[in-house]
């Protein structure tokens, strides 16, 4: 259970920054103490494989440690995915987190768009399945959506994962906002990493734990070959 400081006064709307989507309750209790206690370790090079952190994330998420790769926030992992997969053509539902397109553009990747309709509250529908074929190398999704906040129907998520697996398309799902959602286990795909070798699920401590200044994230992937490729696609 995450514990946060008790708010003794209402948050002043004039002082609330809505330009960033991090937890308005701030740092969980104990984070600053933990940082202070380990400050002396800044003089040492860290473990480039983050083995202890990987073990603890896997234990907390009930995953195999072999499925977890740590990175410097979700953005680092998004760029690693693009550099590792080297897609020539990618599919993006829009509106979506802009870093996807930035990373894809850096690789000279052609981007196909799947517009989400305001008439449907920006919900992703099964119409996207018709755009997933062997010509698509990479599909990026946000679940919940960023900036829409909409959750993808779990049945549709499985259908998308099945379609990507059938076409050999890498499916990268950013679940950085999933900690805010009700019924986490009903919506996350990370538990299915062993079933889908082409699936990569990205998460970070940035949003839920209000830690944007401390770059810390991880991804989950059931393919050791793909995970090793992502590991080698960026600095330690």
């Amino acid at each position: 259970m995450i514990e946060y400081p008790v708010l003794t006064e209402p948050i002043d709307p004039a002082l609330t920054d809505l330009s960033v989507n991090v937890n308005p309750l701030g740092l969980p209790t104990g984070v600053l103490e933990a940082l202070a206690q380990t400050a002396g370790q800044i003089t040492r090079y860290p473990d480039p494989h983050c083995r202890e952190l990987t073990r603890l994330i896997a234990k907390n998420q009930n995953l195999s440690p072999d499925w977890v790769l740590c990175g410097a926030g979700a953005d680092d992992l998004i760029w690693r995915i693009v550099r590792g997969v080297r897609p020539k053509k990618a599919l993006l539902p829009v509106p979506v987190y802009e870093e996807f397109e930035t990373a894809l553009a850096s690789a000279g990747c052609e981007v196909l768009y799947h517009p989400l309709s305001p008439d449907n509250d920006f919900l992703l529908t099964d119409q996207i399945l018709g755009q997933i074929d062997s010509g698509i190398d990479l599909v990026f999704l946000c679940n919940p959506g960023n900036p829409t906040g909409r959750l993808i129907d779990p049945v549709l998520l499985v259908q998308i994962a099945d379609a990507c697996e059938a076409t050999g398309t890498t499916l990268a799902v950013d679940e950085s906002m999933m900690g805010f959602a009700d019924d986490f286990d009903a919506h996350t795909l990370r538990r299915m990493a062993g079933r889908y070798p082409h699936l990569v699920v990205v998460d970070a401590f940035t949003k839920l734990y209000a830690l944007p200044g401390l770059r810390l994230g991880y991804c989950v992937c059931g393919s050791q070959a793909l995970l090793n490729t992502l590991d080698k696609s960026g600095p330690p």
Side-chain angles (χ1 to χ4, degrees):
M1 180 178 179
I2 306 170
E3 295 184 359
Y4 293 94
V6 176
L7 297 178
T8 57
E9 298 180 1
I11 297 176
D12 184 350
L15 301 178
T16 302
D17 184 359
L18 298 180
S19 68
V20 292
N21 44 14
V22 299
N23 197 328
L25 295 178
L27 289 171
T29 302
V31 171
L32 288 177
E33 289 87 346
L35 291 173
Q37 290 169 9
T38 57
Q41 297 181 24
I42 201 170
T43 60
R44 309 173 191 171
Y45 280 103
D47 173 10
H49 302 293
C50 303
R51 280 167 284 207
E52 180 64 7
L53 179 59
T54 296
R55 182 186 68 81
L56 291 172
I57 289 173
K59 180 180 179 181
N60 176 265
Q61 296 290 318
N62 194 27
L63 300 168
S64 167
D66 294 334
W67 292 1
V68 179
L69 174 68
C70 292
D75 287 352
D76 174 43
L77 294 161
I78 289 167
W79 281 72
R80 284 175 184 264
I81 291 168
V82 171
R83 286 195 295 261
V85 175
R86 299 181 182 181
K88 294 181 180 178
K89 186 178 292 186
L91 177 61
L92 284 182
V94 287
V96 75
Y97 183 43
E98 63 183 9
E99 201 67 26
F100 294 154
E101 190 166 14
T102 302
L104 291 167
S106 75
C109 178
E110 178 185 355
V111 178
L112 299 184
Y113 300 99
H114 179 80
L116 303 176
S117 173
D119 296 332
N120 192 35
D121 293 330
F122 297 102
L123 283 172
L124 188 66
T125 70
D126 59 6
Q127 291 183 356
I128 193 174
L129 297 173
Q131 290 186 264
I132 301 174
D133 56 37
S134 58
I136 300 294
D137 303 302
L138 177 62
V139 176
F140 268 126
L141 300 177
C142 273
N143 193 32
N146 181 2
T148 67
R150 308 298 289 174
L151 281 163
I152 302 172
D153 182 86
V155 173
L156 177 57
L157 263 179
V158 171
Q159 291 175 330
I160 294 171
D162 286 338
C164 287
E165 203 61 39
T167 57
T169 302
T170 300
L171 172 61
V173 184
D174 184 351
E175 292 189 356
S176 296
M177 303 288 188
M178 189 62 77
F180 295 108
D182 293 330
D183 203 1
F184 176 97
D185 285 328
H187 294 282
T188 180
L189 271 182
R190 68 192 70 188
R191 307 281 192 262
M192 298 187 182
R195 175 177 168 182
Y196 298 110
H198 289 86
L199 170 67
V200 183
V201 178
V202 175
D203 201 349
F205 292 80
T206 303
K207 309 300 184 181
L208 185 62
Y209 296 92
L211 287 172
L214 183 63
R215 307 308 302 151
L216 188 57
Y218 63 95
C219 68
V220 178
C221 178
S223 167
Q224 197 61 56
L226 179 53
L227 208 61
N228 288 340
T229 296
L230 301 184
D231 187 22
K232 293 179 174 66
S233 295

